[in-house]
Amino acid sequence: MRRCNEEVAGLLQEYADLIAITGGDAFKVRVYEKAARSVGGYGRDIDGMDAAELRAIPNVGESIAAKIEEYLRTGSIHRLEELRTKIPAGVRMLTTIPTLGPKKAMLLYQERGIDSIEKLEDAIRAGDLRGLHGFGPKTEENLLHGIEVMRKTGSRVHIGTAMAVAEEIVPALSAVPGCERCAYAGSLRRMKDTIGDVDVLATAKDPAALMAAFTTLPYVTEVIAHGDTKSSVRTTAGLQVDLRVVPRDSWGAALQYFTGSKAHNIRTREIAVHRKLKLSEYGVFDVATGEKITSADEAEVYGMLGLPWIEPTLREDTGEIEAALAGQLPKVVTLADIRGDLHTHTDLTDGLAPLEEMIEAAAARGYAYYAVTDHAPNLFMQRMTDEKALAQRERLRRLGAARHGMTLLHGCELNICPEGEVDWPPEFLAGFDLCVASVHSHFTQPPEEMTRRLIRACENPYVKIIGHPTARIIGRREPVDADWTRVFDACVRTGTALEIDSFPDRLDLPSDLVRRAADMGVLFSIDSDAHAVPHLDVMRYGVGTAQRGWLTPDRVINTWPLDRLREFLRPG
């Protein structure tokens, strides 16, 4: 499941939310929010740390360290439990609605008795909020939109949450005596943005023993179903996990079937019928004789259909069958192709780790190059200045001179302002190795204005990458509305790459737009947007999104050798 760090970070954030809801000191709220971010992004696992080690974490003082110690020792935080009793759980849930803060959530409860998202929606539509301070027509419109955004993801979770669950369960089951094979399948294997539940497949000499081990895992909170070959549980992350134990000689067919998608499987079964075969989760069968032809190996299953093995991330019936039949499947980019990360942050702005730690962690990944791109000054809360940027550049130069095997690049993440201008003038931007430019505000501009804004950023000769282009946050903020065809044309014309931001709640540019842009000749950069050492690991989710967009390595600038990359980054 999640590292202890994430569990504690969640509790500290909840503590901050409850302080805010109950009208507590705003400074204290910010202290706990900062501590939550620091603990969640800390490079070491805090489980087993003593008080001194906990206090060494940035933004963790004596009082917060004591609460963390209490949780590590007892499994709960007494003060948090006390606060929970004062606030209905539904009020806390209200604060998950985009644009609805804790104070307004508490006001809704105190003045209108609203303690659920459903009651809030009903009250808005019935006009029951009229006259309530701070809830005018525009606020009501924003709240309804926020509820709609939340419902689009429903009970689905970000891929990072689902992957953490799968990568805990699969090794645990693989270690059970008699387990022969175990893997996750479903939409997680296809690397979809959000996951409804996790499908796990296994073969075992003793299926009953594997089922017993599965249903008694320490992070299982509910056993939904318990059978001889299939069981379902709910975990502490709130995610349903289904385990199926299949016969050894059905492994390949089952893996193909339960990976999906449904539309892809319909197409493969149709092909089987035309070849006088039957395809199911049990194997490929000769219709005339009923004989099982193959099923143990997934590639052989595809082979019997006259198809090459198809990458799981492509299995959505969006042309992959036709491409496979024509011998034109793309050789999609892989994590092994990535030579460097071109969008990362340090504690100079809103990152959690110092420059040296981020560099060491990047070097450990075997990168050929690594860019530090802290925020520029127009994002005022980050307190960046010309002097800080120049001092960081000098530190990078010194560190780069002492390091062998990885080239350090000094960059910045600029803000694309409402009219398309960016933070620094050309003469200052000329000193950076690269500039990423991103939308960080004014997300609801009309489409024509947003389109002009993005195109103008592309036309800046120093901007070589547009960061998280749609600015979406999955389940929290809708993508900006722009004429993407015109934006993609501008990228090709100006030689500007579009980023695939790998953070699990962004995955931006989304895969459907990646494919459209790639077809038009746009280049891409797959980046972590890391704000802490553990965040460097999210690169694989961006690669998965790129694969879903049929992206090949030659279209990704950070798969290129350094000399070719530097040539691309040169202002022009």
Side-chain angles (χ1 to χ4, degrees), residues 427-481:
E427 57 270 20
F428 197 83
L429 294 179
F432 289 101
D433 295 312
L434 78 158
C435 296
V436 180
S438 310
V439 170
H440 290 116
S441 66
H442 298 80
F443 303 110
T444 58
Q445 279 184 302
E448 183 61 32
E449 292 180 20
M450 184 63 73
T451 302
R452 286 199 303 267
R453 179 181 183 182
L454 290 167
I455 290 174
R456 185 175 175 192
C458 291
E459 290 172 342
N460 187 313
Y462 294 97
V463 171
K464 302 306 293 185
I465 301 170
I466 301 295
H468 43 76
T470 77
R472 73 169 182 173
I473 299 180
I474 299 171
R476 297 285 294 173
R477 185 168 69 217
E478 290 282 80
V480 299
D481 194 357

Side-chain angles (χ1 to χ4, degrees), residues 20-21 91 94-95 99-110 132-136 139 143:
I21 290 172
V91 177
L94 289 176
T95 64
T99 75
L100 183 60
K103 290 183 180 179
K104 282 192 172 182
M106 194 62 178
L107 183 65
L108 287 169
Y109 175 66
Q110 292 171 334
L132 188 60
H133 180 69
F135 288 89
T139 300
L143 288 174

Side-chain angles (χ1 to χ4, degrees), residues 242-255:
D242 300 325
L243 170 65
R244 293 175 176 85
V245 178
V246 301
R248 181 188 306 173
D249 65 355
S250 294
W251 174 260
L255 188 60

Side-chain angles (χ1 to χ4, degrees), residues 370-390:
Y370 179 74
V372 175
T373 55
D374 275 312
H375 287 287
N378 284 1
L379 207 60
F380 300 110
M381 70 286 292
Q382 306 306 339
R383 300 182 300 279
M384 175 60 87
T385 65
D386 295 12
E387 293 74 22
K388 286 182 180 179
L390 294 173

Side-chain angles (χ1 to χ4, degrees), residues 266-465:
I266 289 172
R267 294 295 307 280
T268 55
R269 288 198 296 271
E270 288 173 348
I271 292 172
V273 169
H274 288 308
R275 298 173 74 93
K276 300 188 182 333
L277 301 170
K278 177 186 175 183
L279 172 63
S280 74
E281 63 265 44
Y282 301 106
V284 181
F285 299 85
D286 185 297
V287 171
T289 66
E291 177 188 1
K292 181 187 286 189
I293 302 172
T294 187
S295 65
D297 182 83
E298 192 180 41
E300 288 181 1
V301 169
Y302 278 105
M304 286 303 302
L305 303 178
L307 298 169
W309 182 80
I310 299 175
E311 189 77 41
T313 45
L314 302 181
R315 301 179 194 177
E316 299 289 352
D317 190 27
T318 55
E320 74 278 5
I321 298 293
E322 291 77 7
L325 289 170
Q328 296 175 348
L329 274 177
K331 185 181 182 300
V332 289
V333 63
T334 69
L335 192 59
D337 294 317
I338 301 297
R339 299 192 189 208
D341 198 337
L342 301 180
H343 181 180
T344 70
H345 298 272
T346 75
D347 61 359
L348 183 63
T349 55
D350 61 343
L352 300 173
L355 180 66
E356 290 78 5
E357 285 186 19
M358 295 297 289
I359 290 171
E360 288 297 327
R365 282 160 174 74
Y367 286 152
Y369 41 81
Y370 179 74
V372 175
T373 55
D374 275 312
H375 287 287
N378 284 1
L379 207 60
F380 300 110
M381 70 286 292
Q382 306 306 339
R383 300 182 300 279
M384 175 60 87
T385 65
D386 295 12
E387 293 74 22
K388 286 182 180 179
L390 294 173
Q392 183 184 68
R393 183 176 303 163
E394 182 56 32
R395 285 176 65 197
L396 273 171
R397 298 289 181 258
R398 290 198 303 268
L399 290 167
R403 175 170 298 284
H404 301 285
M406 186 174 76
T407 298
L408 300 179
L409 303 174
H410 188 224
C412 62
E413 184 181 10
L414 300 166
N415 305 286
I416 304 177
C417 298
E419 297 301 320
E421 70 275 15
V422 296
D423 308 65
W424 275 305
E427 57 270 20
F428 197 83
L429 294 179
F432 289 101
D433 295 312
L434 78 158
C435 296
V436 180
S438 310
V439 170
H440 290 116
S441 66
H442 298 80
F443 303 110
T444 58
Q445 279 184 302
E448 183 61 32
E449 292 180 20
M450 184 63 73
T451 302
R452 286 199 303 267
R453 179 181 183 182
L454 290 167
I455 290 174
R456 185 175 175 192
C458 291
E459 290 172 342
N460 187 313
Y462 294 97
V463 171
K464 302 306 293 185
I465 301 170

